[in-house]
Amino acid sequence: MSPLKLIETSPGAFSLLLNAGTTQVDELIEQLGHEPNGYFWEGVAQILVSTEAQTLEGRFSYDPEGGMFCAYGKDRTALQELADLMSAVATDNDRMRKLVTSAKANGFEFDD
C-alpha cells in the first residue's frame, strides 16, 4: 500500500500528500542523518524528477511542511507519476539508501 494519497481538492485541482513519519523507510532515513519530514520528501521528489522523470519538471508545485509532503497542480497524470516514483522509494530501504547516497555524491542537500 502506498503511503501517498492523490486527492482532488477542488474541480481540476489535485494534491499529492504524504504524512511524514509514516513510511517504511523512516528509520533508515534517520540512520542516514536526515529527518523524514515533508521537506526531506520534497528533496526526494526533486531528485526523482531530475534523474528519472524529467518530463514531469514544471508540471506541479511543491508546498511541504514539517509533518507533510505536498505537491499540487492541475495535472493529475503528472502527480500520479510522481506518486508512483515516490511510493517505490518510500517502501524500499535499498532504493532509499541509493537515492540518498547518490544525492550526497552529487552535492544535493536535503532541506530537512
Side-chain angles (χ1 to χ4, degrees):
M1 187 169 123
S2 174
L4 292 122
K5 275 193 227 181
L6 181 57
I7 60 171
E8 188 169 18
T9 56
S10 62
F14 303 92
S15 289
L16 177 63
L17 307 172
L18 181 146
N19 287 324
T22 64
T23 74
Q24 296 174 20
V25 296
D26 289 341
E27 187 175 316
L28 173 64
I29 293 167
E30 290 175 349
Q31 290 171 4
L32 295 170
H34 296 284
E35 179 71 30
N37 61 29
Y39 303 107
F40 173 83
W41 284 104
E42 178 185 5
V44 169
Q46 291 172 346
I47 291 165
L48 290 170
V49 168
S50 70
T51 61
E52 297 182 26
Q54 294 89 2
T55 60
L56 297 179
E57 189 69 47
R59 293 173 61 188
F60 46 78
S61 298
Y62 300 107
D63 187 22
E65 298 176 1
M68 180 183 69
F69 165 80
C70 178
Y72 66 94
K74 295 181 183 288
D75 190 336
R76 186 185 194 291
T77 301
L79 288 167
Q80 183 60 60
E81 288 179 41
L82 179 62
D84 294 343
L85 289 169
M86 290 184 69
S87 181
V89 174
T91 58
D92 185 331
N93 279 333
D94 189 49
R95 279 201 70 187
M96 178 56 76
R97 184 182 305 281
K98 288 177 183 174
L99 184 141
V100 171
T101 301
S102 175
K104 183 176 182 180
N106 290 315
F108 184 87
E109 292 189 33
F110 290 93
D111 183 24
D112 58 331

